[in-house]
């Protein structure tokens, strides 16, 4: 009888631990996942830091691991915004290679910032 109780307690514990294991950070700590939608999005302050973090290591200027696709200046980044490959690749659209390659998809908040910049005309601001 005792063994059975231990087994039941263990199962209950396991249930709670496994429940925690699958929780998402942004659901557990919603305040850390807030997306700032009020600060205006600009190329210099919003887009470049994201591309620096996720893309330029392979595609920036002298990097050689970007399959020949060069980013890192306003001209190159704007061209990719205009031909659709910037948003297509980071949003994992079917027609594009998903980027950043071999890494997690950027967060919805980060992707929405890049999209805002593109939709506003990919200005050099
Ligand atoms: C680890 C290196 C690496 C990183 C980081 C990376 N890329 Fe790439 N990217 C590549 C390689 C290699 C290719 C060429 C092969 C391919 O298309 O998968 C490529 C191709 C592309 C293409 C052409 C895809 C197509 O379907 O036409 C675009 C656009 C692109 N990358 C954008 C980005 C953007 C934007 C980021 C940052 C969010 C990024 N890449 C991050 C390595 C990388």
């Amino acid at each position: 009888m005792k063994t059975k109780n231990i087994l039941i307690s263990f199962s209950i514990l396991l249930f709670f631990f496994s429940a925690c294991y699958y929780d998402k950070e942004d659901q557990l700590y919603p305040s850390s996942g807030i997306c700032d939608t009020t600060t205006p999005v600009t190329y210099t302050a919003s887009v470049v830091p994201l591309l620096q973090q996720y893309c330029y290591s392979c595609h920036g200027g002298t990097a050689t691991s970007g399959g020949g696709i060069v980013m890192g200046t306003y001209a190159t980044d704007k061209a990719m915004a205009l031909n659709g490959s910037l948003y297509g690749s980071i949003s994992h659209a079917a027609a594009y290679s998903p980027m950043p390659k071999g890494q997690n998809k950027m967060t919805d908040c980060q992707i929405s910032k890049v999209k805002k910049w593109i939709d506003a005309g990919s200005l050099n601001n």
Side-chain angles (χ1 to χ4, degrees):
M1 205 56 201
K2 235 184 172 168
T3 326
K4 197 177 170 198
N5 281 342
I6 290 170
L7 263 179
I8 289 170
S9 320
F10 188 70
S11 306
I12 291 169
L13 267 177
L14 204 66
F15 173 77
F16 280 112
F17 277 120
S18 59
C20 286
Y21 183 80
Y22 289 109
D23 280 337
K24 296 261 167 65
E25 186 187 336
D26 57 348
Q27 285 162 4
L28 282 173
Y29 310 104
S31 60
S32 70
I34 284 179
C35 189
D36 175 5
T37 52
T38 50
T39 309
V41 166
T42 66
Y43 177 64
T44 321
S46 329
V47 176
V48 169
L50 289 175
L51 301 184
Q52 232 155 20
Q53 183 181 347
Y54 289 100
C55 318
Y56 292 169
S57 60
C58 291
H59 293 292
T62 55
T64 52
S65 44
I69 291 161
V70 178
M71 307 175 66
T73 63
Y74 173 65
T76 56
D77 297 350
K78 182 189 180 185
M80 278 180 49
L82 292 182
N83 71 22
S85 64
L86 178 59
Y87 184 68
S89 61
I90 63 172
S91 64
H92 294 189
Y96 298 92
S97 234
M99 295 290 148
K101 200 174 197 60
Q103 294 168 34
N104 287 336
K105 193 179 177 184
M106 291 164 70
T107 67
D108 289 348
C109 179
Q110 294 169 327
I111 295 170
S112 74
K113 283 183 182 165
V114 176
K115 186 170 193 306
K116 265 192 188 174
W117 173 69
I118 297 170
D119 289 348
S122 340
L123 302 176
N124 190 5
N125 54 7

